[in-house]
Amino acid sequence: MTNLLRHHLFWPVAALVALLVANTVASPSFLAITVRDGHLFGAPIDILRTTAPLLLVALGMTLVIATRGIDLSVGAVVAVSGAVALSYISSSPDPDSPGTVLTAVALALALCLLLGVWNGFLVSVLGIQPIIATLILMTAGRGVAMLITGGMITTVNSGPFKVLGSGFWFGLPVAAVLAFGVFAVVAFVVRRTALGMLLEATGINPSASRLSGVRSKTLTWTVYAASGLFAGLAGLLISADTMAADANNAGLFIELDAILAVVIGGTALSGGKFNLSGTLVGALVIATLERTVTVVGISPLVTPLFMALVVIAVTLLQSPRMRERLTAATRRPVATTPPEPQPAARPDSTEVKAR
């Protein structure tokens, strides 16, 4: 029991289970899944779909935080991605052409990758603090998206592009398949190769890792580029879900939700060791929490307060001091028996004769 409480995933998983139980009590059919035309429908499937963009952004954020950095620009990159893709499709003579959609997706992802490379250049080459370097793009990125869309909400009617937001592959939402597929690939690469260890070494002590032969600057540059790419893919999923590009509201505050997912999963913001499985659980907790607000019927006026209380409770239970107290409380006192009295030593016969 003590080892279970000390596991880094215990409290995030417990919070997720508690939210699912609360939803089931409020709506007994919450966990019901139906099959229609070979596709799965239900509240759990909707949670997987809504988790997809956040999971992608949180995945990149985890890698960045592992190198002792932070990326505040992911929300702006999400807006830029949707603006580029939908602007290209809307200006195309054939929006329903798969070639048009593939070109739009490629352009959006390429630009977002370039924005991530820019962040990595500022941090690793110029030595600017990560929070300042990414704050620059966070401020300017939405302005770039506004320039691309002309300050208007761009809408399109494209069947192939809509598949990204509301389509199905293998009975599951396309967004969930893409997001969880990318997550599985990244998790395999960082945990089955030396990349994960090198990232942790860079985050723990960049100078020592560089002196030991680790290319810490290259790794830092790479994780920021990956963060931009993942945020761009998340922006495509969000814009495909609404079939609109809103430079002001697309991906708004998603960087804060991503940081929350990383922290709930047990990754420290100080860098070093990171936990991708915890990030996955954290993203599911946030998505389920947003669904719980609707199912339980909490007033929108107190929704932010309710979500903050849940997040505070989970993070407090994960704190080192709270873990120590819970561990000490669950330990059973070991019964100690008093030592048996030793018999008095008899005097030696030689000593008796001497006396």
Side-chain angles (χ1 to χ4, degrees):
M1 184 63 180
T2 301
N3 294 333
L4 182 62
L5 289 176
R6 296 179 63 181
H7 196 275
H8 62 274
L9 287 180
F10 177 79
W11 292 113
V13 172
L16 180 61
V17 172
L19 290 174
L20 293 176
V21 170
N23 283 287
T24 305
V25 171
S27 176
S29 61
F30 179 79
L31 296 178
I33 297 177
T34 59
V35 180
R36 301 174 188 171
D37 299 329
H39 306 323
L40 299 178
F41 293 90
I45 305 301
D46 292 338
I47 290 175
L48 292 179
R49 179 188 286 110
T50 55
T51 303
L54 177 59
L55 177 60
L56 289 170
V57 177
L59 178 61
M61 189 70 72
T62 304
L63 300 179
V64 170
I65 289 176
T67 60
R68 201 183 289 185
I70 199 76
D71 191 354
L72 299 180
S73 66
V74 288
V77 174
V78 166
V80 170
S81 176
V84 170
L86 269 72
S87 296
Y88 182 85
I89 294 175
S90 64
S91 62
S92 173
D94 188 9
D96 288 325
S97 171
T100 300
V101 174
L102 290 176
T103 304
V105 169
L107 288 175
L109 293 180
L111 179 57
C112 293
L113 178 63
L114 183 61
L115 293 177
V117 170
W118 167 255
N119 283 335
F121 172 76
L122 294 179
V123 174
S124 62
V125 178
L126 299 185
I128 301 176
Q129 290 293 327
I131 191 171
I132 302 300
T134 57
L135 186 62
I136 296 172
L137 184 56
M138 176 185 177
T139 306
R142 293 195 180 275
V144 173
M146 291 285 288
L147 290 175
I148 295 174
T149 59
M152 302 176 64
I153 298 178
T154 304
T155 59
V156 297
N157 186 12
S158 173
F161 187 71
K162 190 176 181 180
V163 171
L164 292 176
S166 57
F168 287 86
W169 285 345
F170 313 109
L172 296 172
V174 172
V177 173
L178 288 175
F180 284 87
V182 171
F183 177 86
V185 171
V186 173
F188 178 81
V189 171
V190 299
R191 290 309 180 193
R192 296 298 180 181
T193 65
L195 180 60
M197 182 184 63
L198 296 178
L199 290 176
E200 292 181 350
T202 302
I204 293 173
N205 194 327
S207 300
S209 62
R210 184 172 60 254
L211 293 175
S212 63
V214 178
R215 297 182 178 179
S216 56
K217 289 186 177 181
T218 302
L219 288 174
T220 303
W221 207 332
T222 302
V223 294
Y224 278 98
S227 178
L229 181 63
F230 296 156
L233 181 55
L236 292 175
L237 298 182
I238 292 174
S239 60
D241 185 37
T242 60
M243 295 302 289
D246 187 354
N248 287 324
N249 297 316
L252 189 63
F253 300 135
I254 196 172
E255 61 273 6
L256 303 182
D257 289 338
I259 295 173
L260 273 179
V262 175
V263 172
I264 291 175
T267 299
L269 294 180
S270 57
K273 288 188 176 182
F274 61 97
N275 184 11
L276 291 180
S277 58
T279 299
L280 172 60
V281 177
L284 289 172
V285 167
I286 293 177
T288 308
L289 185 57
E290 293 176 352
R291 182 82 179 195
T292 304
V293 171
T294 304
V295 174
V296 177
I298 298 175
S299 172
L301 298 177
V302 297
T303 295
L305 178 60
F306 173 75
M307 296 181 66
L309 291 176
V310 174
V311 172
I312 289 174
V314 175
T315 51
L316 283 178
L317 290 172
Q318 280 191 295
S319 63
R321 290 188 178 180
M322 184 62 68
R323 285 184 179 181
E324 291 177 0
R325 292 183 179 181
L326 291 174
T327 302
T330 54
R331 287 177 180 171
R332 296 181 179 179
V334 180
T336 57
T337 58
E340 297 181 358
Q342 298 292 333
R346 296 181 179 179
D348 193 4
S349 59
T350 57
E351 294 182 359
V352 174
K353 290 180 180 180
R355 290 177 183 178

